[in-house]
């Protein structure tokens, strides 16, 4: 009697738009250890901050929704006690997952940015929201890789993501005429349709507005635009979707800039490296010009901070196809790196590395042995290897 052999399970490889694709683009080696190897970072600074801001905004919107259902909508600004309750709730949720602010200064900065996001952005954003935390799924053909590195039976891969906010907007709605977010969206994308109701995808970013304006192909400026375009394509296939005409990135750090953010902004304005400089002769320009890094960060006008916080990305068929092709290429590169490792290539040689972004390297535990980072560090500082961070005794 012959027994058949159980065939190998046919499973689709799944790639998240942020955790996998953008994570790999930041640094393939860091992605290998933290995402595939499941090694948690020793200093999850950006992870805590991003999760905290997303959680605070989502919880604040849910509470606003409750007031709408009760027939008495109450928009921010809200009392300090309400803000404290929201922030404490989100911190407790993150602590249950082992995520904490790295130090009291980081926690205080997160608290201030959460306050600005709720009190200053919330009154204009919350009434536009149709749904929050929208999960997206889709499948695409797995791009071919060199035969010697081929290790999968699947011919497709799953693409997944979560949209922070989906809005339903009728641009000719007279009630939206005084909404500064609508004015900024129209100013940045004047060709958006005037008639009918459409969707805008909104994604929160716990970072400042990047200085690179897409002059370098594949920069963070491009990558987040590709993410929005891909979200739009996945959202288009859902049953309850309207036509997505644009995406909006909200750089939350711009609502409450730190001193280092202000230094970067002043440098970018002087070097003509930002697409949203202050208007000539405006109060923001005067404050920025007279400000010294020895002083506290000045309070810029809400109008200018909102302008820097919002980036509107129009969506059309051509831009969507370009974004999908770019993400297909990233999947191909990830699959190739995995195939190389599985066929015996050492990890440091199998995986792409990126030591050109200092902010990515600073929080990376692999920098102590990454040959690329040591080379970059030596060229910058004339040393053979980076200094290791000092370890303080924990009481």
């Amino acid at each position: 009697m012959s027994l058949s052999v159980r065939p190998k399970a046919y499973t689709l490889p799944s790639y998240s738009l942020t955790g996998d694709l953008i994570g790999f683009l930041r640094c393939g080696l860091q992605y290998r250890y933290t995402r595939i190897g499941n090694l948690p970072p020793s200093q999850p600074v950006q992870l805590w901050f991003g999760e905290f801001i997303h959680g605070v905004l989502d919880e604040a919107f849910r509470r606003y929704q409750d007031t709408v259902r009760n027939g008495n909508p109450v928009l921010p600004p809200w009392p300090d006690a309400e803000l404290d309750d929201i922030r404490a709730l989100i911190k407790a949720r993150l602590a249950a997952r082992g995520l904490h602010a790295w130090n009291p200064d980081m926690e205080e900065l997160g608290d201030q940015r959460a306050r600005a996001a709720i009190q200053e952005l919330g009154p204009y954003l919350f009434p536009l929201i149709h749904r929050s935390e929208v999960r997206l799924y889709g499948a695409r053909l797995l791009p071919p890789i060199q035969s010697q590195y081929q290790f999968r039976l699947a011919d497709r891969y799953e693409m997944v993501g979560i949209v922070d906010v989906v809005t339903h907007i009728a641009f000719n709605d007279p009630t939206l005429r005084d909404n500064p977010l609508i004015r900024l969206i129209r100013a940045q994308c004047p060709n958006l349709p005037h008639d009918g109701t459409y969707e805008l995808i909104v994604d929160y970013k716990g970072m400042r507005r990047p200085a690179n304006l897409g002059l370098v192909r594949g920069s963070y400026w491009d990558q987040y635009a590709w993410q929005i375009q891909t979200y739009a394509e996945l959202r288009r296939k859902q049953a309850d979707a309207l036509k997505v005409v644009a995406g909006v990135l909200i750089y939350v750090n711009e609502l409450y800039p730190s001193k280092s953010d202000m230094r970067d902004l002043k440098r970018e304005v002087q070097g003509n490296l930002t697409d949203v400089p202050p208007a000539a002769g405006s109060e923001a320009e005067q404050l920025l010009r007279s400000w010294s890094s020895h002083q506290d960060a000045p309070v810029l006008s809400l109008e200018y901070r909102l302008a820097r916080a919002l980036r509107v990305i129009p969506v059309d068929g051509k831009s969507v196809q370009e974004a999908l092709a770019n993400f297909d290429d990233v999947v191909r590169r990830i699959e190739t790196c995995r195939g190389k490792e599985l066929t015996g290539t050492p990890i440091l040689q199998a995986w792409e590395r990126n030591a050109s972004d200092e902010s990515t390297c600073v929080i990376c535990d692999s920098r102590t042995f990454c040959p690329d980072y040591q080379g970059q560090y030596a060229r910058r500082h004339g040393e053979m290897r980076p200094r290791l961070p000092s370890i303080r005794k924990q009481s």
Side-chain angles (χ1 to χ4, degrees), residues 172-242:
N172 58 357
D173 185 346
T175 64
L176 301 179
R177 191 170 298 153
D178 296 328
N179 188 313
L181 301 187
I182 297 298
R183 290 201 301 268
L184 285 168
I185 291 169
R186 291 303 259 165
Q188 292 190 32
C189 287
N191 294 327
L192 292 179
H194 290 271
D195 299 327
T197 303
Y198 300 92
E199 283 190 356
L200 270 69
I201 286 174
V202 179
D203 199 56
Y204 306 132
K205 297 297 179 189
M207 58 186 291
R208 66 183 300 272
R209 192 183 192 94
N212 191 306
L213 308 184
L215 301 177
V216 179
R217 177 70 174 168
S219 65
Y220 293 155
W221 187 264
D222 285 339
Q223 291 168 19
Y224 289 124
W226 297 341
Q227 179 190 359
I228 286 291
Q229 303 286 349
T230 308
Y231 278 159
E233 174 64 11
L234 297 179
R235 173 61 181 162
R236 179 183 68 83
K237 297 179 179 180
Q238 293 186 325
D240 64 334
L242 301 178

Side-chain angles (χ1 to χ4, degrees), residues 89-333:
L89 175 64
I90 302 305
K91 288 177 187 178
R93 289 177 183 172
L94 295 178
R97 295 168 48 196
L99 294 177
H100 304 271
W102 184 244
N103 55 45
D105 290 339
M106 171 62 68
E107 185 172 5
E108 172 64 19
L109 184 59
D111 287 342
Q112 293 297 337
R113 285 176 173 163
R115 165 185 286 276
I118 294 174
Q119 303 288 64
E120 297 181 328
L121 179 69
Y124 310 116
L125 177 63
F126 291 170
L128 306 178
I129 296 177
H130 172 63
R131 286 178 59 189
S132 65
E133 297 291 307
V134 181
R135 295 184 176 273
L136 303 175
Y137 304 90
R140 291 183 58 78
L141 288 174
L142 198 62
I145 64 174
Q146 297 179 38
S147 58
Q148 66 266 36
Y149 303 131
Q150 180 66 47
F151 67 98
R152 295 203 188 269
L153 295 176
D155 63 346
R156 295 175 181 273
Y157 73 94
E158 180 187 40
M159 185 178 282
V160 298
I162 300 178
V163 173
D164 292 328
V165 166
V166 171
T167 69
H168 280 186
I169 292 179
F171 288 104
N172 58 357
D173 185 346
T175 64
L176 301 179
R177 191 170 298 153
D178 296 328
N179 188 313
L181 301 187
I182 297 298
R183 290 201 301 268
L184 285 168
I185 291 169
R186 291 303 259 165
Q188 292 190 32
C189 287
N191 294 327
L192 292 179
H194 290 271
D195 299 327
T197 303
Y198 300 92
E199 283 190 356
L200 270 69
I201 286 174
V202 179
D203 199 56
Y204 306 132
K205 297 297 179 189
M207 58 186 291
R208 66 183 300 272
R209 192 183 192 94
N212 191 306
L213 308 184
L215 301 177
V216 179
R217 177 70 174 168
S219 65
Y220 293 155
W221 187 264
D222 285 339
Q223 291 168 19
Y224 289 124
W226 297 341
Q227 179 190 359
I228 286 291
Q229 303 286 349
T230 308
Y231 278 159
E233 174 64 11
L234 297 179
R235 173 61 181 162
R236 179 183 68 83
K237 297 179 179 180
Q238 293 186 325
D240 64 334
L242 301 178
K243 182 178 180 180
V244 180
V245 294
V248 179
L249 296 177
I250 298 180
Y251 299 108
V252 176
N253 293 21
E254 297 290 351
L255 298 173
Y256 189 89
S258 65
K259 283 183 67 173
S260 63
D261 293 335
M262 293 299 299
R263 282 195 296 268
D264 289 341
L265 175 58
K266 187 168 184 175
R267 175 181 55 83
E268 291 163 10
V269 170
Q270 290 172 343
N272 196 27
L273 296 174
T274 177
D275 63 323
V276 187
S282 66
E283 180 186 8
E285 188 210 26
Q286 295 171 11
L287 282 173
L288 199 60
R289 183 188 301 148
S290 61
W291 178 73
S292 167
S293 59
H294 301 295
Q295 302 171 319
D296 292 335
V299 179
L300 302 175
S301 67
L302 177 59
E303 180 183 11
Y304 182 57
R305 285 184 287 122
L306 284 177
R308 284 197 56 82
L310 260 68
R311 178 190 171 194
V312 185
I313 302 167
V315 172
D316 57 43
K318 181 180 178 181
S319 61
V320 166
Q321 291 307 311
E322 180 183 359
L324 292 174
N326 279 297
F327 274 124
D328 282 345
D329 183 63
V330 175
V331 170
R332 178 191 59 78
R333 289 160 59 187

Side-chain angles (χ1 to χ4, degrees), residues 148-151 336 338-345:
Q148 66 266 36
Y149 303 131
Q150 180 66 47
F151 67 98
T336 299
R338 297 191 70 168
K340 287 180 178 179
E341 182 182 344
L342 290 172
T343 54
T345 304

Side-chain angles (χ1 to χ4, degrees), residues 46-67:
Q46 188 62 32
L47 181 59
W48 178 86
F49 184 79
E51 295 270 2
F52 176 67
I53 290 298
H54 278 74
V56 162
L57 281 168
D58 191 54
E59 178 63 25
F61 171 66
R62 292 179 191 280
R63 296 191 182 198
Y64 164 70
Q65 273 189 315
D66 289 340
T67 67

